[in-house]
Amino acid sequence: MEKLFAAAALFGLLLWVWSEFFRAIPNLEQVGVLKNFQLTSKEEIQGRFTVLDKRYYSAGHRLLHPAAPTVVGGFQDLAYVSNIDLLLSQNQQSYQTLKQQFEWTQDSRCFELKAKSSTSAPLAQTSEQLFNMSVIASTEVVANQIRRLKAGQQVQLQAEWVDVHSIKTGRAFNIAAARHGQHCRIYKINAIRIL
């Protein structure tokens, strides 16, 4: 039984190392990405944010993943340009306070916030100060900085809300249903600094 636990622990450690240091995060400097996706800037944002959550997203299982972004023609899923979702807060409350008052889940690529009790801060007001970002890294340096983000960290961010279209099909990528409101969007991060 001890060998089974040791094997499971080793597997968990290897999975963590892969996720932390080797998981591929696309960026706009990679060959093939801008050949397949067109980005149109809509609005710039910048400021100081608290990271509440970071989740990886992958293409649908029905798709065959190319081994490298240099393979052209297989980029028909948003995950090939944006495979990390961030939930950020501009709220002045600390990460621990928000975590005590609210819980969040992810539906498709949009986070949904729920109050844990009736004494929590107003849900609508808190939701207005959250940014759900499906992130596109502008450079490899930015992609590596995003990879290292942890919940509870403060970051200085410069980004732009973008529309993303497939060049091959002309299809627009929408991540938000109407109920998710204005704060669930695709953002291209131009600069990020952990404070």
Side-chain angles (χ1 to χ4, degrees):
M1 196 60 139
E2 289 179 13
K3 289 182 180 180
L4 184 62
F5 286 129
L10 180 60
F11 177 74
L13 177 65
L14 290 173
L15 191 62
W16 176 81
V17 167
W18 171 78
S19 170
E20 195 72 16
F21 299 104
F22 299 107
R23 187 173 189 142
I25 299 174
N27 65 77
L28 297 181
E29 291 180 336
Q30 288 176 304
V31 176
V33 174
L34 287 178
K35 288 181 182 176
N36 292 283
F37 296 98
Q38 179 183 6
L39 277 61
T40 307
S41 180
K42 303 286 279 181
E43 179 181 325
E44 289 188 24
I45 66 160
Q46 59 183 347
R48 186 177 178 154
F49 298 88
T50 302
V51 179
L52 299 182
D53 205 343
K54 174 180 89 173
R55 299 201 184 167
Y56 288 96
Y57 180 83
S58 49
H61 298 293
R62 69 194 184 284
L63 300 173
L64 179 64
H65 288 246
T70 56
V71 178
V72 178
F75 293 85
Q76 295 307 310
D77 193 283
L78 183 61
Y80 289 115
V81 71
S82 170
N83 69 349
I84 291 184
D85 294 336
L86 298 176
L87 181 63
L88 304 178
S89 172
Q90 279 190 312
N91 197 317
Q92 296 303 312
Q93 291 179 307
S94 72
Y95 168 73
Q96 291 300 330
T97 302
L98 287 170
K99 194 169 182 177
Q100 288 171 358
Q101 293 182 346
F102 301 98
E103 62 183 357
W104 44 86
T105 57
Q106 197 174 24
D107 175 30
S108 298
R109 297 196 65 173
C110 292
F111 288 93
E112 292 184 353
L113 197 67
K114 290 182 185 174
K116 288 186 175 179
S117 68
S118 58
T119 59
S120 296
L123 183 63
Q125 181 182 357
T126 303
S127 294
E128 286 296 313
Q129 296 173 349
L130 297 181
F131 287 86
N132 185 136
M133 299 181 165
S134 289
V135 172
I136 297 172
S138 60
T139 66
E140 186 176 358
V141 171
V142 170
N144 288 330
Q145 290 170 321
I146 293 167
R147 176 187 281 116
R148 289 191 290 272
L149 291 178
K150 305 276 185 251
Q153 288 180 323
Q154 297 280 319
V155 295
Q156 186 73 30
L157 183 75
Q158 182 183 13
E160 35 187 321
W161 165 34
V162 293
D163 279 341
V164 180
H165 289 80
S166 165
I167 291 176
K168 184 176 180 180
T169 65
R171 175 179 160 224
F173 292 97
N174 279 327
I175 59 166
R179 71 179 186 280
H180 295 121
Q182 298 290 326
H183 290 281
C184 182
R185 296 177 171 160
I186 303 170
Y187 286 87
K188 180 179 82 166
I189 296 187
N190 298 314
I192 188 166
R193 184 169 58 93
I194 300 170
L195 302 175

